[in-house]
């Protein structure tokens, strides 16, 4: 009979240990999500949409970067951010350059974040 009690006690201890592990992992995952810049990313996307609209990008590239009569498609897969900034500052073809006084690098990063969220 003593063996049965020991087995039950070990079983309860095991279940308790698993429960504690699950709670710990869930807590750690929650903290990781809270520290991730999800809110910052959402703000960047929203700011990017506003900057895209206010800079007039949609006139040539379409309201959602899908391309238009004059400008190529920018979304859903924009070029890497450093190349994007470099091109916007010194474009080829008919696109006018956007100097830092008109659009800061942070604005361009936000526009880039906005373009990455667009799906076709």
């Amino acid at each position: 009979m003593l063996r049965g009690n020991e087995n039950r006690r070990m079983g309860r201890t095991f279940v308790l240990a698993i429960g504690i592990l699950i709670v710990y992992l869930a807590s750690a995952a929650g903290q990781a999500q809270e520290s991730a810049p999800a809110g910052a990313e959402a703000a960047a996307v929203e700011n990017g949409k506003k900057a895209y609209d206010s800079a007039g990008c949609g006139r040539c590239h379409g309201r959602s970067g899908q391309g238009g009569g004059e400008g190529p498609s920018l979304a859903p897969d924009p070029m890497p951010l450093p190349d994007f900034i470099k091109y916007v500052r010194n474009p080829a073809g008919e696109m006018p350059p956007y100097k830092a006084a008109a659009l800061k690098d942070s604005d361009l990063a936000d526009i880039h974040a906005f373009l990455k969220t667009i799906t076709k």
Side-chain angles (χ1 to χ4, degrees):
M1 189 74 156
L2 190 58
R3 265 186 152 348
N5 286 339
E6 286 177 5
N7 283 340
R8 273 184 283 210
R9 191 174 319 136
M10 285 180 59
R12 281 189 228 137
T13 302
F14 178 76
V15 169
L16 180 61
I18 293 296
I20 290 171
L21 179 62
I22 289 170
V23 169
Y24 171 78
L25 292 175
S27 173
Q31 287 175 353
Q33 287 177 349
E34 288 173 9
S35 65
E41 288 176 16
V45 169
E46 187 166 329
N47 292 338
K49 171 75 170 122
K50 289 176 186 173
Y52 183 89
D53 291 340
S54 68
C57 303
R59 286 191 297 256
C60 297
H61 297 285
R63 285 186 56 87
S64 298
Q66 75 276 13
E70 297 177 39
S73 173
L74 302 175
D77 190 23
M79 65 179 71
L81 180 59
D83 296 336
F84 180 74
I85 292 172
K86 187 176 179 180
Y87 188 83
V88 170
R89 299 283 184 236
N90 298 297
E94 295 182 33
M95 181 174 159
Y98 285 85
K99 300 299 178 193
L103 278 173
K104 297 180 281 192
D105 284 355
S106 61
D107 294 328
L108 292 175
D110 290 347
I111 290 171
H112 191 265
F114 161 65
L115 293 172
K116 288 184 351 184
T117 65
I118 296 170
T119 58
K120 283 197 174 188

